[in-house]
Amino acid sequence: MPDTKFLLAALSTLLLGACTSAGAPKPPATLAVTVPQVAHPQGETPQWWYRNGAAQAAANGAMAGKAKNVILFLGDGMSLTTVAAARILEGQRHGGAGEENLLSWERFPATAFSKTYNTDSQTPDSAGTMTAITTGVKTHMGAIGVSAGPRNDCADSLNKHLLTWLQLADSAGMATGVVSTARLTHATPAATYANSPDRNWENDTDLPEAARAAGCVDIAQQLLSTARFGRGPLVALGGGRAQFTTVEERDPEYDDKVGQRLDGRNLVAEWQQAHPQGAYVWNTAQLKAAAGAPALLGLFEPDHMQYEQDRANDRAGEPSLAELTRTAIANLSKHGEGYVLMVEGARIDHANHSGNAARALGDTIALSDAVRAAAEATSAEDTLIIVTADHSHTLNFVGYPARGNPILGKVKDKGGEDGTGGLELARDATGLPYTTLSYANGPGYTGASNQQPAGPKKYPHAPSSFDPASGRPDLTHVDTEHPDYMQEALVPAKSESHGGEDVGIWARGPGSNAVRGTLEQNTIYHLIVQATPRLRERLCAQGTCDTQGVPVELPQPTTFERRTP
């Protein structure tokens, strides 16, 4: 018997050794970066945030990455509930029960959670969160590319400018691109190239006189001036035409609209002058015709682009997010130095704010289509793709709906959690049916507002006042699956609010093994720069790296600008 035990133990050891040496993946190399202990939150300086994020990424093995290209997809306001509901809706659109479906990025091998709070708020906004993602430093609510400080103080912000990984890549000779369904001057895309303590300073009419006098520049101008780091974005596609043209200029698509600038500057014309071989487009046909241009500026709406639900109604033709993504990749991939690209599904957030789940889920599915297009157009051998959100929302997924129940419909169950009855409408304690999806707050509150009567609300609805609701409406004969139906909200508000819980991170490609665990949101920047040799080498060349080659010192933007003779 002892001999038998010995033989079994020896055999187990040999088998384990064979598995380890032959087929098991080696864990990524990890590096330790010392981070000083500080008092929270008062001890959290920009340098501390930067080093802390660098330590998390290095400890997860990001330095082992060998990415040539990086694509970051940002689902604005894409909470985990939004992802789950969109997954089911897409599956049901394809004729399935829905629950078994996966969105494109949910097939990626690496996943993590992102902690989204701002330095001054438990529940964040898109500006501070995207700044964390693009610069490696957490900051205040409303901040674009600057470290934490007073939101309306231009002078204070001038010595707090932060370097983004898009500007870093530009200075390293890589091609860069920005794609968004929002205005290109809106919070998320702006945080890739601009510096402003207040996200609302999008054009010169928005910029307070005191801020202008102190030296601040509107965000639209900064899209052009960011070329000081290299060439500027070679692809910039989104909405927001009015931010770039003057009040004297009529919009090419809408006769009743003009630009918003009062300074007399047509920034589209200035961009064209800076890119004489480039192409400016504002509709789908023009985009297709100009796809091979060496530089591409596309502004497809005066304001935000259309929701996917409404895109087909655009008279001039508006490209999908997947089409924009394919165009951007085709353009940027022509550059042998590699590229970085940010793609935002912006209107997920806007639809959630409007209390309209149908449009929020529709734009989430459109983002999934775009991620799929990117995965098909690139190789996991050289391109790191990261999908995440900036923050959450208050969308709820509740009740005990039966398998395959329409996700936008009313709950049908078999007797609740006990499951002892037949399939029928579930009812609340007052005997009324309710929907699977609802919001904790927002304009879907069922009391009478100054715009719509008491009862279910119809999109669009942005009231300034409500009367208290008298009970819940009877939804028995209400079509809650209609795209304009607004889910009920518990707390009345003109606009539904963000949520403060963690959001997801999904990744594939070189360096994606480091995407795991629960991470501070600013760590995403460090995952990107550490996993991309050309980016980290550029940082090291400026003396920001430790003896292990990990970028740990906060880079000063001016040292990365082009040297002019």
Side-chain angles (χ1 to χ4, degrees), residues 241 250-257 282-285 300-302 306 310-319:
R241 277 195 301 266
R250 195 166 300 281
D251 187 83
E253 186 176 3
Y254 304 100
D255 290 339
D256 61 339
K257 297 183 184 299
W282 56 268
N283 60 49
T284 302
F300 300 97
E301 287 286 338
Q306 303 279 351
D310 308 312
R311 187 170 58 84
N313 300 327
D314 188 278
R315 295 175 299 180
E318 191 166 298

Side-chain angles (χ1 to χ4, degrees), residues 47-345:
Q47 171 57 43
W48 182 88
W49 277 118
Y50 194 86
R51 190 178 186 92
N52 185 63
Q56 288 190 9
N60 275 17
M63 290 288 290
K66 298 289 190 294
K68 177 183 178 182
N69 315 306
V70 179
I71 306 174
L72 175 79
F73 284 92
L74 195 290
D76 199 310
M78 191 174 71
S79 65
L80 291 175
T81 303
T82 303
V83 171
R87 171 204 307 152
I88 293 173
L89 179 60
E90 183 187 57
Q92 291 177 346
R93 285 178 174 179
H94 293 161
E99 299 83 6
E100 73 289 344
N101 185 51
L102 291 173
L103 298 174
S104 60
W105 60 78
E106 294 184 288
R107 301 181 187 277
F108 287 1
T111 59
F113 291 117
S114 171
K115 296 165 65 179
T116 65
Y117 61 94
N118 293 142
T119 56
D120 58 349
S121 182
Q122 287 181 340
T123 298
D125 89 316
S126 297
T129 50
M130 192 59 180
T131 294
I133 292 171
T134 58
T135 70
V137 175
K138 285 211 177 196
T139 187
H140 65 261
M141 183 183 286
I144 297 288
V146 298
S147 57
R151 178 163 176 166
N152 296 314
D153 191 338
C154 167
D156 175 79
S157 74
L158 294 178
N159 64 350
K160 294 181 176 180
H161 287 192
L162 300 169
L163 182 76
T164 74
W165 49 256
L166 185 136
Q167 294 166 330
L168 172 65
D170 197 14
S171 75
M174 300 174 74
T176 65
V178 180
V179 174
S180 176
T181 52
R183 299 188 296 269
L184 283 181
T185 52
H186 207 239
T188 298
T192 66
Y193 64 82
N195 309 104
S196 175
D198 191 328
R199 60 180 286 178
N200 295 317
W201 298 350
E202 294 188 47
N203 66 65
D204 68 303
T205 61
D206 299 326
L207 193 66
E209 186 56 43
R212 184 181 294 106
C216 280
V217 178
D218 67 81
I219 290 169
Q221 285 190 56
Q222 294 185 58
L223 180 62
L224 276 63
S225 65
T226 195
R228 68 190 182 278
F229 292 97
R231 295 168 289 187
L234 295 180
V235 176
L237 304 172
R241 277 195 301 266
Q243 310 296 320
F244 296 86
T245 57
T246 74
V247 293
E248 305 297 328
E249 296 167 279
R250 195 166 300 281
D251 187 83
E253 186 176 3
Y254 304 100
D255 290 339
D256 61 339
K257 297 183 184 299
V258 296
Q260 294 188 13
R261 302 192 68 83
L262 289 172
D263 59 3
R265 294 179 61 183
N266 182 318
L267 299 183
V268 172
E270 292 184 22
W271 182 92
Q272 290 174 310
Q273 185 176 8
H275 301 86
Q277 304 302 314
Y280 165 63
V281 301
W282 56 268
N283 60 49
T284 302
Q286 293 175 351
L287 178 69
K288 291 179 179 178
L296 190 56
L297 173 63
L299 299 172
F300 300 97
E301 287 286 338
D303 196 14
H304 303 305
M305 291 180 66
Q306 303 279 351
Y307 288 112
E308 183 64 20
Q309 170 68 34
D310 308 312
R311 187 170 58 84
N313 300 327
D314 188 278
R315 295 175 299 180
E318 191 166 298
S320 68
L321 188 58
E323 290 172 316
L324 295 176
T325 300
R326 280 191 287 265
T327 299
I329 292 173
N331 181 294
L332 298 174
S333 61
K334 293 183 296 186
H335 299 270
E337 317 80 31
Y339 63 85
V340 298
L341 171 65
M342 191 288 292
V343 180
E344 182 196 20

